[in-house]
Every structure is written in C-alpha cells, then in structure tokens.
Amino acid sequence: MAFVPQNPLEDALLRAQTDIPAREEFYDRLRDEMVFVPGDCGRASDDENAAIASAADALNVPVIRINGRQYHPIFSSIERLKTYRDTPFFIIRGADVFQNKNGSEFLLNPGSDIGKVMTRDEVAYCLAPTGSRKMQVKERRVY
C-alpha cells in the first residue's frame, strides 16, 4: 500500500527520503506540529477529542524494545496511529514530547510504510533553532 501523506508533516517526511533540502523542513515540522502519542498524559479527554498535552505534563508513554534499545512510539497522524494499534492516545507538539522525555529515543510511525528512528542526537538536532543547527549526525535517514 502506498504511503499517502495526511498532513504537511507527512508530506515533508515523504519528501525527506530523497530530497536532502526537505529534511530541514521535516525536522522543523516534527518539532513544531502536533504528534499523536499512545499512552496517557493525565488530562481528561472525551470520545470526540483526544487530550492535548504539554511538556510539563506527566506523560506515560510506552516503550518499544528493538535490539536492546528503547524507543517511545510517536505518530505523524491519527491514521498512522490507528493502523498501528487502536489504543488510548494524546496529542502533543513534537518539541514538547521530546523535552518531556529528555534523553529518550523515538520511533516515528512504527509499523507504517514510512517512518523514522529519532536518535538522541537527532532529537537534539530537531530541537535546536534552525539557524544554529550543526550537522553532527552522519546520516539522517527515513526508513
């Protein structure tokens, strides 16, 4: 099944696979836009709307273990999350979940056709102001 972008973040993710300049836009969008996170943020939600979390909330996010490494799953759209698992979730700005789970690594869209491993270095790179970023990670690949 072909990956059809559901929003500008997913469009940037798709383009970042082959277009090196698009990778900066992807990191900016991942930092600034809302992502969908399985788990609980301690805020109330209803059947119509997911809870919206902030960096200051006590986030309870599951861990996926792969080859001895631990990753927090995050998703670029509700469609990617629902394809992975029908589970309680909350919405949070990418930068806020990265700051809340400081020092953690993430999997963007696990189980999807297109996703991304976000190492600690890449999370730090993503959080840095665009103009001050230094390319310290050898290769940033979308898988």
Side-chain angles (χ1 to χ4, degrees):
M1 182 162 133
F3 183 90
V4 178
Q6 301 296 311
N7 55 43
L9 172 58
E10 291 188 346
D11 182 60
L13 173 64
L14 183 63
R15 287 184 292 109
Q17 284 186 292
T18 56
D19 181 9
I20 292 173
R23 293 176 186 169
E24 289 300 313
E25 178 188 354
F26 163 71
Y27 284 111
D28 289 344
R29 288 193 180 278
L30 183 59
R31 177 192 63 218
D32 296 339
E33 294 189 16
M34 302 301 261
V35 294
F36 299 79
V37 182
D40 179 44
C41 67
R43 292 180 182 242
S45 63
D46 58 38
D47 292 337
E48 301 279 323
N49 301 299
I52 299 176
S54 73
D57 290 336
L59 304 182
N60 180 13
V61 182
V63 171
I64 297 173
R65 289 178 175 77
I66 302 173
N67 297 327
R69 297 186 79 151
Q70 296 184 12
Y71 303 94
H72 292 295
I74 60 174
F75 296 85
S76 54
S77 67
I78 187 70
E79 292 82 5
R80 305 296 164 230
L81 173 67
K82 294 292 185 184
T83 299
Y84 178 70
R85 184 177 298 156
D86 190 14
T87 185
F89 68 95
F90 58 91
I91 302 169
I92 188 169
R93 197 171 66 98
D96 290 343
V97 72
F98 293 154
Q99 290 168 349
N100 183 284
K101 296 297 180 187
N102 187 28
S104 296
E105 296 186 319
F106 296 83
L107 285 177
L108 176 63
N109 297 336
S112 180
D113 291 339
I114 297 177
K116 174 89 180 88
V117 172
M118 294 294 295
T119 66
R120 286 176 191 88
D121 287 343
E122 286 180 292
V123 170
Y125 180 87
C126 184
L127 288 172
T130 305
S132 68
R133 289 181 180 158
K134 299 225 184 319
M135 297 293 271
Q136 295 176 356
V137 177
K138 287 184 182 178
E139 186 174 350
R140 292 179 175 77
R141 295 188 55 169
V142 174
Y143 68 101

